[in-house]
Amino acid sequence: AVVKDSRGVLCAHSVTLAVGGGAGKVALIWFPVCAFIICGFEHSVANMYYIPVGMMYGAEVTIGEMIVKNWIPVIIGNAIGGCVLLGCVYWYEYHSIAMAIEDMESKKKKK
């Protein structure tokens, strides 16, 4: 479960970086998505398609195993990667910008 969680965290981090890009979005999406595919990271939405399709083609996986051993850990990992990990990066980035703006405004008021 820890491996699935960590793969989910890294996948969500990569995908969220790709989706959060501004100008030149197609170019920005390419590298993070390629990275998570090449590294074998787990994405909950992709797993919700590929595992049932594998089951239809004869994979010996039960629905319970699919949900408990894959979907739940990967969804938790994706949530941590997309919300917490990248949220901390954005907070750090924009907090420092907000502090700089606040410092500039306080200096203007003193003059």
Side-chain angles (χ1 to χ4, degrees), residues 66-84:
M66 174 180 64
I67 292 170
V68 173
K69 292 184 178 180
N70 190 283
W71 287 3
I72 292 174
V74 171
I75 289 170
I76 291 169
N78 286 170
I80 292 169
C83 298
V84 177

Side-chain angles (χ1 to χ4, degrees), residues 14 18 22 33 36-37 46 49 82 84 88 92 95 97-98 102:
S14 300
V33 171
F36 97 76
I37 291 170
Y49 171 76
V84 177
C88 290
Y92 178 76
H95 179 71
I97 293 171
E102 190 176 300

Side-chain angles (χ1 to χ4, degrees), residues 11-88:
C11 171
H13 182 68
S14 300
V15 171
T16 309
L17 281 174
V19 172
K25 208 171 217 183
V26 172
L28 291 173
I29 288 172
W30 180 261
F31 295 107
V33 171
C34 282
F36 97 76
I37 291 170
I38 290 169
C39 294
F41 296 153
E42 300 278 343
H43 191 266
S44 59
V45 177
N47 290 352
M48 289 178 186
Y49 171 76
Y50 287 117
I51 295 173
V53 167
M55 291 168 64
M56 286 188 274
Y57 280 101
E60 295 182 11
V61 179
T62 65
I63 293 175
E65 288 175 335
M66 174 180 64
I67 292 170
V68 173
K69 292 184 178 180
N70 190 283
W71 287 3
I72 292 174
V74 171
I75 289 170
I76 291 169
N78 286 170
I80 292 169
C83 298
V84 177
L85 186 63
L86 201 64
C88 290

